[in-house]
Amino acid sequence: MKLISLNVALPRIVEWNGGPVATGIFKEPVPGPVMLRTLNLDGDRQADLSVHGGMSKAVYAYPFEHYAFWKKEFPDMELPYGMFGENFTTEGMFEERVNVGDRFRIGEAELMVSEPRLPCYKLGIKFGRSDIIRRFLQSRRTGFYFAVLKEGKVNAGDKIQLISRDGNDIAISDITRLYAFERNDLQTLRRAVKLEALSESWREYFQKQIQKLTQ
């Protein structure tokens, strides 16, 4: 596993639907080293902290292997690394193989996989088309967030080393599946709400789903 590209951006103001919008989605690759801190990378910041950022979503990772799929979907569009707003473009990490709670070392930093990425309208701004939001979720190629356990410098090209595997065996793809595709999987829902590594907002959401199914 490897960190293919390291991408950062400070928020900028763009026009969208006739008004100004602040967004940090326009990431650009940098060689590093870049200091990874508890809430973000140096030189990077989330614009709307009500839905982005925070300790459980300090770093967004997206598999570079997914770019081949999107190049077929949008053959006339340039898709440089960072196109999906990811900080880390990774090699060898897939949503169905990475568990919530898995811990990794990248450069000097240690990180924990926390949750999948749900697309918002700002992905539509980046692509210049609103249908990307639906297509992104339906593809199940969501990428995932990291929480930072130990701060440190990271570089493009760093190896991604597995430190420990979470024993609950709930993959990132399972969280997306429960949210958007198989909302009635009561057995997995009950396992998901017990995940300490999963953010409180996700666990509360799944608990409400369980209540609906068992009333």
Side-chain angles (χ1 to χ4, degrees):
M1 295 179 290
K2 186 177 179 181
L3 179 57
I4 296 293
S5 183
L6 179 61
N7 317 298
V8 300
L10 294 174
R12 67 171 71 170
I13 303 296
V14 298
E15 291 290 323
W16 182 251
N17 288 339
V21 173
T23 177
I25 201 171
F26 289 88
K27 312 292 186 193
E28 294 185 358
V30 294
V34 176
M35 187 67 183
L36 175 59
R37 304 188 189 279
T38 303
L39 294 178
N40 48 36
L41 290 149
D42 281 358
D44 190 77
R45 200 169 73 243
Q46 302 89 359
D48 184 356
L49 295 178
S50 66
V51 291
H52 300 291
M55 294 186 69
S56 67
K57 295 188 286 186
V59 179
Y60 175 44
Y62 199 73
F64 102 94
E65 291 91 345
H66 292 344
Y67 273 82
F69 170 85
W70 293 113
K71 286 177 180 177
K72 289 181 181 178
E73 292 288 299
F74 305 116
D76 299 325
M77 184 178 291
E78 289 190 19
L79 298 176
Y81 292 143
M83 186 66 186
F84 296 89
E86 78 270 19
N87 301 111
F88 290 171
T89 312
T90 61
E91 178 184 56
M93 304 183 79
F94 298 94
E95 293 86 349
E96 65 272 16
R97 300 180 194 172
V98 176
N99 287 342
V100 175
D102 283 358
R103 299 184 177 209
F104 294 89
R105 181 177 294 109
I106 305 176
E108 297 175 349
E110 294 182 7
L111 307 94
M112 181 180 70
V113 175
S114 55
E115 59 188 86
R117 186 262 189 93
L118 296 181
C120 74
Y121 73 97
K122 291 180 180 178
L123 189 62
I125 293 176
K126 183 70 180 289
F127 274 74
R129 51 192 303 160
S130 59
D131 68 331
I132 184 61
I133 300 168
R134 172 184 54 82
R135 293 168 72 167
F136 182 85
L137 188 58
Q138 287 183 340
S139 76
R140 308 196 191 200
R141 293 169 170 85
T142 63
F144 47 89
Y145 287 104
F146 283 116
V148 177
L149 304 177
K150 178 186 175 184
E151 297 182 347
K153 292 179 181 178
V154 293
N155 289 271
D158 281 345
K159 290 183 179 180
I160 301 174
Q161 299 172 297
L162 178 65
I163 298 174
S164 64
R165 186 91 164 138
D166 189 86
N168 294 291
D169 201 29
I170 300 287
I172 284 291
S173 59
D174 289 321
I175 302 299
T176 305
R177 177 174 61 82
L178 292 174
Y179 173 77
F181 302 100
E182 298 176 20
R183 297 185 177 95
N184 297 332
D185 182 353
L186 190 57
Q187 182 178 2
T188 310
L189 282 168
R190 283 174 168 157
R191 292 170 59 210
V193 296
K194 297 178 182 178
L195 278 174
E196 293 184 6
L198 192 63
S199 69
E200 185 177 350
S201 60
W202 270 109
R203 283 182 279 139
E204 287 178 352
Y205 178 80
F206 287 147
Q207 187 60 53
K208 289 178 181 178
Q209 284 187 251
I210 292 172
Q211 290 173 354
K212 289 179 182 178
L213 292 171
T214 56
Q215 283 179 349

